[in-house]
Amino acid sequence: MAMNEPQQISVQELIAQKSNRGLLAFTEKLIPKILFLIASVSVLTTIGIVFTLIFETVTFFTEVNIFGFLTGTEWYPFANSTPTYGILPLVVGTLKITGIAILVAVPIGIATAIFLSEYASDRVRRFIKPILEVLAGVPTIVYGFFALTFVTPILRSIYPDIAIFNALSPGIVVGIMIIPMIASLSEDAMSSVPNAMRDGAYALGATKLEVAVKIVLPAALSGIVASTVLAISRAIGETMIVAVAAGSTPGFNWDVTGSIQTMTAYIVQVTTGDAGYGTTIYYSIYAVGFTLFLFTLAMNMLAQFISKRFREEY
């Protein structure tokens, strides 16, 4: 059998291969730098937002006493004689909406997650999950008009003394809006529980409900709690639903049947042209926005802490 002759490579081919290797090495060095620049856009944007909020908030507190802002129970920035800037009525309004939303969303969301994880067949799961995704994709302005024109009339037919603009109706609708978040994240946490734990419980004679409540729920607790905290953060930051259906009357009380105003709704009111640039009212939206930012930041940090602290290792 004749030996194969060594392959002949021309000088031009050697030069081309060297050029290709050089281009590949250059590309390998360039790509990480491009990806780093792209990743840094979000970081720089966040830094820019925080510094803008801080700078404008400091400007506001040069004109308004910070202690009165944090402890005041009256919020009348548009008063002609003596404007007052006590943030507590806006905070209370925001907490009303959030509390009602959580009372609605948590039981329904967790029950939905249990059904999808433990009871639903693959066919049913493929049918229900897209519906939840559609519910999560509905614009919040649509939810707002749904609360005002559908939910509020139903509530008024049951309880006639409830005002047209109130906290109960938008709170319920915000709860409906965040159900997909709780259901989806909780279902993911439950689905990650090993089947061996379920099989062991079934082998001991446990029913499907006992497995779901006593085995799966405790094992997935960190994910469920984290999803609830993130949903609370989402409810705190909701804007359009409360701007449309909750009213614009800040009050330091816990009545849910009357008009209220949340922090986000006040920002909407001012930014639609009710205050001139550079006025105290204008700078107040940054102080309110910074307060809202601290609320949502605390909720996100709490969710991360819960996920890391109570995560079960399997």
Side-chain angles (χ1 to χ4, degrees):
M1 181 177 181
M3 296 293 293
N4 292 331
E5 295 183 359
Q7 185 178 4
Q8 299 293 328
I9 301 178
S10 65
V11 176
Q12 290 82 359
E13 291 175 338
L14 290 173
I15 295 174
Q17 290 179 3
K18 186 175 181 180
S19 300
N20 290 335
R21 286 195 295 270
L23 179 61
L24 182 61
F26 175 76
T27 303
E28 289 296 325
K29 292 180 180 179
L30 181 63
I31 291 299
K33 294 180 174 61
I34 295 175
L35 295 177
F36 173 78
L37 291 175
I38 295 173
S40 64
V41 170
S42 59
V43 177
L44 295 175
T45 302
T46 303
I47 293 174
I49 291 173
V50 172
F51 272 99
T52 301
L53 285 174
I54 292 175
F55 179 79
E56 302 293 357
T57 301
V58 169
T59 304
F60 171 76
F61 286 127
T62 59
E63 303 178 10
V64 176
N65 181 268
I66 186 172
F67 181 78
F69 175 81
L70 294 175
T71 60
T73 58
E74 293 185 348
W75 183 266
Y76 300 114
F78 297 100
N80 294 326
S81 55
T82 341
T84 55
Y85 295 91
I87 190 68
L88 289 182
L90 298 183
V91 173
V92 168
T94 302
L95 294 180
K96 287 181 191 177
I97 298 294
T98 304
I100 296 170
I102 292 304
L103 289 176
V104 172
V106 169
I108 298 176
I110 294 179
T112 303
I114 292 174
F115 173 75
L116 291 175
S117 173
E118 305 302 315
Y119 289 91
S121 62
D122 290 339
R123 181 178 178 182
V124 173
R125 191 179 296 110
R126 286 196 301 268
F127 175 75
I128 293 179
K129 293 206 76 171
I131 295 178
L132 289 175
E133 294 172 359
V134 170
L135 194 64
V138 175
T140 55
I141 186 68
V142 176
Y143 277 119
F145 283 108
F146 173 73
L148 182 63
T149 61
F150 183 79
V151 178
T152 298
I154 293 177
L155 294 176
R156 285 170 63 85
S157 67
I158 300 172
Y159 184 67
D161 291 336
I162 195 170
I164 294 177
F165 297 102
N166 58 82
L168 188 57
S169 174
I172 292 172
V173 175
V174 171
I176 294 173
M177 182 192 67
I178 63 177
I179 285 174
M181 176 182 293
I182 296 177
S184 180
L185 295 178
S186 298
E187 194 267 333
D188 290 341
M190 293 178 189
S191 297
S192 66
V193 176
N195 286 328
M197 296 182 65
R198 296 180 175 87
D199 295 338
Y202 288 135
L204 294 174
T207 64
K208 182 162 288 197
L209 180 61
E210 289 175 331
V211 170
V213 174
K214 297 181 180 181
I215 302 298
V216 177
L217 272 180
L221 185 62
S222 64
I224 294 171
V225 175
S227 70
T228 303
V229 174
L230 290 176
I232 293 174
S233 178
R234 178 68 182 87
I236 290 174
E238 173 50 37
T239 303
M240 294 311 301
I241 296 176
V242 293
V244 171
S248 57
T249 310
F252 188 64
N253 58 71
W254 295 101
D255 179 26
V256 298
T257 63
S259 175
I260 66 166
Q261 188 171 50
T262 65
M263 290 185 281
T264 53
Y266 171 74
I267 295 173
V268 171
Q269 180 185 4
V270 174
T271 53
T272 52
D274 285 349
Y277 176 80
T279 61
T280 305
I281 297 176
Y282 169 79
Y283 287 117
S284 70
I285 66 175
Y286 290 96
V288 174
F290 188 69
T291 305
L292 183 64
F293 171 77
L294 293 179
F295 268 89
T296 55
L297 178 64
M299 289 296 101
N300 290 333
M301 292 179 65
L302 180 61
Q304 292 183 4
F305 170 78
I306 292 172
S307 297
K308 293 179 181 179
R309 176 67 179 81
F310 298 102
R311 182 182 292 116
E312 296 287 344
E313 299 294 341
Y314 298 107

